[in-house]
Amino acid sequence: MDELPQGTILRGERPYKIIKKLGQGSFGITYLATMSTTISGKRGAFDTEVKVAIKEFFMRDINGREGTTVTYGSKGGIYEDYKKKFIREARNLGTLQHPNIVKVVEDFEANNTVYFSMEYISGGNLDAYIEKKGKLSEGETVRIAKQIGKALSFMHNKHILHLDLKPGNIMMREDGTPVLIDFGLSKQYDKDGNPESSTTVGGGTLGYAPLEQAYHRKGEGKDFPMTMDVYAFGATLYKMLTGKRPPEAYRILNDGFPFDQLQGNDVSDALATCIAKAMAPTKKARYQTVEEFITAIEKMGIPTEDDTIIPEEDEDPVVVEVVETGSGPESGNGDKGKKPDDGNNNMLKYITGGIIGFALIIVLAILMNSMNEQKVEETITADSAYAAEEALNPEAEAAPAAAEPNFGIRPEDVVEEAKEVPAEAAEAAEPNFGIRPIEVVEEAKDAAAEAVSAAKAAADAAPVD
């Protein structure tokens, strides 16, 4: 078994307890661990445990293990040489304080090897995120690329190369922030472009490493070869947009860049052209810096979810009025700026609705009363017919009065007048005329009373046989 057993205690400046193995590569094993810390304040203090990740230097093809101690057999010279350089490079990485670069807590030696502890990021890596979604949209890809580009530029300004950039070495925080990890192949260069250690650059990962990375040696070209990270950066965008591993560098050299793969995944020609330039087989044909690559992408104006859409100046603003409840100026709900008679207007609306409904009820009652008094209606109808017949007789001078009792008002006129009550009530209730609610109520009552009186008078005036 290569890894440390669960529960192992490692001691640096503070103790760490191994929980489980997270992963293993050619040069190391990464563990999930906890460390104890104390949180204190003015009122007291308490102890708690924090999750961290611990990287152990362990060369898979050379090292073994006896108990917790790392062994190396006859190849101790190679192992010791790489271990010293790993310590120096780990300490260089500790100087990188950037929001998109994993935070290193400390490095220490134990068990015949070297360790460094760093923040634990629980969101999983970008490779798993891409696999879950199938592929990423242009907007999301650009959002992630901008943040990773800032981290790479920060490293390059300190003359440090990553040399193994790929989705598997980018962790995603739970809020979607990408973080660079795994600097096992990273190199620091001096002002003349020479790596500070004598180790070779390393081949990187197929599909993400350019051709020259496999044979790059100390002092070659006397420059700082940022274009190797630029190539890997372009390949990482290719993976995000297609969901597929990019082709090896020699295939692009021989067969050309696979534009059809990007176009088949609805990637714009402009963005595909940028990625193709970043992954050019010859380093001189690539973007020479990460900033240059990101600037070319930003010029396309691809919106991301971080962008805020601001209306044009000539657009009419949309005003949303928030109505606050309260009983008056002392309600404490911020009545400043509120119209003083808003509450009265609302109350008047409720009263108006009640008046109209009340008037309708009166009209319905009158109509139902007229229908129920069948005898009165039949008598009125009979008298009307009789009066019409008498009108043919010149001696019947009282016929018109008998035919139209109640000062010439006919029954159908009574009904029509009753029907007009709702209209009159609604007109009286209209607040624009300055009528107070009590006046509206009184007027509606009067109109309804007149209608009832007219109907009764018509019925009383008609003689019953």
Side-chain angles (χ1 to χ4, degrees), residues 138-139 141-143 145-146 233-234 237 240-241 268 270-275 278 287 290-304:
E138 284 192 354
T141 297
V142 171
R143 176 187 70 81
K146 285 181 179 180
F233 191 24
L237 267 68
M240 285 192 279
L241 291 165
S268 63
L271 184 54
T273 300
C274 282
I275 294 173
Y287 296 107
V290 171
E291 291 95 332
E292 187 181 348
F293 184 20
I294 290 297
T295 298
I297 293 176
E298 288 178 336
K299 287 181 178 179
M300 299 176 197
I302 299 172
T304 70

Side-chain angles (χ1 to χ4, degrees), residues 362 366 414 447-457:
I362 294 175
I366 293 171
V414 176
E450 290 175 4
V452 173
S453 297
K456 289 184 176 181

Side-chain angles (χ1 to χ4, degrees), residues 156-196:
H156 292 173
N157 289 336
K158 291 182 174 292
H159 281 256
I160 298 176
L161 294 178
H162 190 283
L163 296 175
D164 198 19
L165 179 63
K166 57 185 177 181
N169 284 339
I170 299 173
M171 297 297 290
M172 302 294 291
R173 299 189 193 277
E174 292 185 358
D175 65 356
T177 301
V179 180
L180 278 177
I181 65 165
D182 201 343
F183 297 84
L185 296 181
S186 65
K187 305 292 291 181
Q188 183 158 24
Y189 287 70
D190 61 24
K191 61 181 181 179
D192 297 322
N194 296 318
E196 291 187 350

Side-chain angles (χ1 to χ4, degrees), residues 16 109 115 129 150 152 242 253 266 386 411 444 449:
Y16 300 93
E109 292 190 55
Y115 301 87
Y129 182 71
K150 290 178 182 178
L152 283 174
T242 65
L253 176 64
D266 300 323
Y386 174 77

Side-chain angles (χ1 to χ4, degrees), residues 15-320:
Y16 300 93
K17 182 178 180 181
I18 299 298
I19 303 301
K20 64 178 181 179
K21 182 175 80 172
L22 294 174
Q24 182 173 0
S26 299
F27 287 86
I29 303 173
T30 303
Y31 303 93
L32 173 64
T34 58
M35 71 175 189
S36 298
T37 186
T38 301
I39 298 177
S40 60
K42 293 182 179 180
R43 305 302 181 190
F46 65 91
D47 295 331
T48 187
E49 290 187 340
V50 178
K51 289 182 179 180
V52 296
I54 293 182
K55 184 73 172 285
E56 179 186 44
F57 182 66
F58 188 95
M59 300 180 69
R60 184 163 48 192
D61 296 333
I62 292 178
N63 295 128
R65 194 184 301 274
E66 292 181 0
T68 59
T69 302
V70 173
T71 60
Y72 44 78
S74 61
K75 298 182 179 181
I78 297 176
Y79 172 71
E80 288 294 335
D81 185 42
Y82 272 90
K83 185 176 76 171
K84 291 177 183 179
K85 294 163 186 175
F86 181 84
I87 294 172
R88 182 167 58 246
E89 291 169 3
R91 290 174 180 173
N92 287 335
L93 291 175
T95 65
L96 298 177
Q97 299 298 316
H98 190 275
N100 300 108
I101 296 176
V102 66
K103 305 293 189 298
V104 176
V105 179
E106 66 167 322
D107 61 88
F108 57 94
E109 292 190 55
N111 298 328
N112 200 30
T113 188
V114 61
Y115 301 87
F116 67 88
S117 59
M118 52 190 169
E119 65 172 319
Y120 171 64
I121 302 171
S122 62
N125 63 36
L126 178 59
D127 206 32
Y129 182 71
I130 296 170
E131 183 177 354
K132 180 180 178 180
K133 299 189 71 171
K135 62 178 181 179
L136 307 187
S137 66
E138 284 192 354
E140 188 170 20
T141 297
V142 171
R143 176 187 70 81
I144 294 173
K146 285 181 179 180
Q147 296 180 73
I148 294 300
K150 290 178 182 178
L152 283 174
S153 296
F154 180 80
M155 291 179 60
H156 292 173
N157 289 336
K158 291 182 174 292
H159 281 256
I160 298 176
L161 294 178
H162 190 283
L163 296 175
D164 198 19
L165 179 63
K166 57 185 177 181
N169 284 339
I170 299 173
M171 297 297 290
M172 302 294 291
R173 299 189 193 277
E174 292 185 358
D175 65 356
T177 301
V179 180
L180 278 177
I181 65 165
D182 201 343
F183 297 84
L185 296 181
S186 65
K187 305 292 291 181
Q188 183 158 24
Y189 287 70
D190 61 24
K191 61 181 181 179
D192 297 322
N194 296 318
E196 291 187 350
S197 62
S198 60
T199 54
T200 58
V201 164
T205 302
L206 287 177
Y208 298 93
L211 289 170
E212 71 271 17
Q213 185 166 333
Y215 58 80
H216 190 85
R217 294 291 186 275
K218 176 182 178 180
E220 184 176 333
K222 293 293 182 181
D223 61 357
F224 178 51
M226 291 180 288
T227 52
M228 288 192 287
D229 277 350
V230 169
Y231 185 99
F233 191 24
T236 298
L237 267 68
Y238 180 100
K239 175 65 180 288
M240 285 192 279
L241 291 165
T242 65
K244 300 177 182 178
R245 193 187 77 175
E248 291 87 343
Y250 77 89
R251 292 187 181 277
I252 295 177
L253 176 64
N254 294 323
D255 303 332
F257 184 79
F259 281 99
D260 58 325
Q261 291 294 324
L262 291 170
Q263 292 168 345
N265 285 279
D266 300 323
V267 178
S268 63
D269 291 343
L271 184 54
T273 300
C274 282
I275 294 173
K277 182 174 181 179
M279 296 178 68
T282 60
K283 59 185 180 181
K284 290 182 179 180
R286 295 175 206 146
Y287 296 107
Q288 297 302 293
T289 65
V290 171
E291 291 95 332
E292 187 181 348
F293 184 20
I294 290 297
T295 298
I297 293 176
E298 288 178 336
K299 287 181 178 179
M300 299 176 197
I302 299 172
T304 70
E305 55 257 46
D306 288 343
D307 296 334
T308 301
I309 299 176
I310 302 175
E312 297 293 335
E313 292 183 358
D314 58 349
E315 291 182 357
D316 293 330
V318 178
V319 179
V320 179

